[in-house]
Amino acid sequence: MRQKTSTEIFTYWERIRGSADAPTRDLIQPSAVAHILPELFILENTADDNPRFRLAGTGICNLMGREIRGENFAGLWASSHHDDPVRIAAGVMRHVVPASINATGYCISGRRMTFEMVLMPVRTSNDICDRLLGCLTPTVHSTWLGNERLEFLALDRSRLLYDHPARLVDTPPHPDPTDLLPFEGSLSLGEWMRRKLLQAKNSPDRAKIDPARDRFGGRP
């Protein structure tokens, strides 16, 4: 991992999981990641292992030119190359092992940008791992990003971040006390991101986001 956001969220994920293989979702505190929320997303698994966006930060929605909450993860990727990213995301949850992805995003104008994505498993309970905390970060910040929509991402390479996952301990880990400070009325991460997305939708800058929900690479 080379990007600051990737390093920060992975370090935080490792800290809250403790000696477990993955943290439970209630351990994620918005106050600890507030400054990088626009680049974060949460995926939830489905019965057919086709993960979809439960939440997506405003920065990611601006990149794609639309609100992507509720869309399949496959919708971000080129139609002929979305199988591998989908399998990787589903595998992160199934095997409870984090992974990183390097991808290139393409615009209709021909512009392109490289991105780093980190996918980290999250448990809804000690027995179920069906969520994924992720980030999507450009490797270089450019003025056209967010103003010209990305049509799709193409997978360049991926790798697991562990060779062997840690075993889940009987006693669940506890968050650092500093992460329990009041934050927006002690909102959950999901509620905090929902409110931010609603604010972005109702703000004058909403014009930057194309309301159309057409998807390159989406499954029929």
Side-chain angles (χ1 to χ4, degrees):
M1 292 179 291
R2 297 178 179 273
Q3 304 309 307
K4 184 180 179 186
T5 296
S6 302
T7 302
E8 286 189 20
I9 193 60
F10 185 74
T11 300
Y12 176 70
W13 177 86
E14 285 221 294
R15 179 157 57 86
I16 63 173
R17 79 181 179 92
S19 58
D21 55 1
T24 52
R25 61 181 178 178
D26 59 297
L27 294 178
I28 302 173
Q29 298 294 320
S31 58
V33 294
H35 59 297
I36 55 174
L37 280 178
E39 295 179 292
L40 303 184
F41 62 87
I42 294 177
L43 295 181
E44 59 183 356
N45 206 10
T46 60
D48 57 352
D49 283 338
N50 187 22
R52 60 173 172 249
F53 285 96
R54 185 175 181 86
L55 293 167
T58 54
I60 300 173
C61 292
N62 280 334
L63 286 172
M64 304 311 298
R66 65 188 188 277
E67 168 64 69
I68 61 174
R69 179 184 176 188
E71 288 192 14
N72 290 335
F73 185 57
L76 260 63
W77 305 88
S79 58
S80 58
H81 297 91
H82 61 63
D83 287 347
D84 284 342
V86 168
R87 279 196 293 264
I88 292 168
V92 165
M93 290 181 271
R94 185 185 312 112
H95 301 294
V96 199
V97 179
S100 68
I101 287 176
N102 292 97
T104 301
Y106 294 86
C107 297
I108 199 168
S109 66
R111 282 177 167 157
R112 65 180 68 182
M113 177 60 67
T114 53
F115 291 86
E116 184 171 75
M117 179 182 288
V118 180
L119 307 174
M120 296 152 285
V122 174
R123 293 184 178 274
T124 52
S125 71
N126 285 338
D127 299 323
I128 301 173
C129 185
D130 60 356
R131 299 287 169 83
L132 181 158
L133 173 63
C135 68
L136 180 66
T137 310
T139 59
V140 178
H141 288 277
S142 177
T143 55
W144 62 267
L145 278 175
N147 293 318
E148 187 172 348
R149 63 179 287 175
L150 298 178
E151 299 298 334
F152 58 82
L153 298 175
L155 176 67
D156 296 325
R157 60 177 179 165
S158 65
R159 69 184 181 93
L160 297 179
L161 296 178
Y162 291 146
D163 289 331
H164 301 286
R167 294 181 61 187
L168 184 66
V169 295
D170 292 333
T171 303
H174 297 281
D176 189 287
T178 58
D179 288 345
L180 300 179
L181 296 174
F183 181 74
E184 292 284 328
S186 298
L187 296 176
S188 68
L189 176 62
E191 183 60 27
W192 168 252
M193 291 181 73
R194 286 190 188 96
R195 292 192 181 187
K196 287 298 182 184
L197 288 171
L198 183 60
Q199 290 172 8
K201 180 179 180 181
N202 295 330
S203 72
D205 292 336
R206 178 62 181 169
K208 294 180 180 179
I209 300 181
D210 184 350
R213 295 181 63 83
D214 55 306
R215 293 176 293 171
F216 271 66
R219 294 185 176 182

